[in-house]
Amino acid sequence: MRWLPLVALLAGCPTAAGDVVWEDVEPLVRAECAGCHGGAEPEGGFVIDGPASLVDVASTQTEDMPLVTAGDPLQSYLWHKLENTQRVAGGSGSVMPTSGLLPSEDVDLVEAWIAAGAL
């Protein structure tokens, strides 16, 4: 979590991984993910509609890693997709979102949410 404490302090957001919950991540997911992974025809047939759609859900792009492993960002394929390290993790496909890498503070927020237990 490179910048999370400073960015969180400036933004008035939670500052410790234990403080980050789905409600903190949901606006980012809605803004950056729901366009492709929501609606009537979601990309890859995958809809993100809350933690239950991510936590302990098998990835279709790697056999060895769920989308989110609560408490462990490095074992969470979503984190790898956001960091563009999905191939290192044994997966495939492009970085998410497809528009390009998210700002590091957004990736840090997702990382903190996963580290905090993905609640």
Side-chain angles (χ1 to χ4, degrees):
M1 289 180 266
R2 298 170 289 267
W3 299 99
L4 181 62
L6 176 60
V7 170
L9 180 63
L10 295 173
C13 296
T15 57
D19 295 335
V20 180
V21 295
W22 176 254
E23 288 75 17
D24 300 315
V25 177
E26 185 177 21
L28 174 65
V29 170
R30 197 172 34 250
E32 297 293 342
C33 309
C36 292
H37 295 291
E41 295 184 31
E43 187 71 31
F46 175 63
V47 176
I48 299 176
D49 60 4
S53 65
L54 296 167
V55 178
D56 295 326
V57 173
S59 167
T60 60
Q61 295 182 346
T62 179
E63 297 176 14
D64 301 330
M65 193 176 297
L67 293 171
V68 170
T69 300
D72 193 349
L74 292 176
Q75 289 300 313
S76 300
Y77 194 62
L78 172 65
W79 181 84
H80 285 283
K81 291 291 276 191
L82 296 176
E83 283 283 352
N84 199 24
T85 58
Q86 66 274 12
R87 294 191 191 283
V88 174
S92 61
S94 61
V95 66
M96 294 289 132
T98 56
S99 59
L101 292 171
L102 291 174
S104 62
E105 60 267 15
D106 290 343
V107 177
D108 288 345
L109 181 64
V110 173
E111 181 179 350
W113 171 70
I114 294 170
L119 302 174

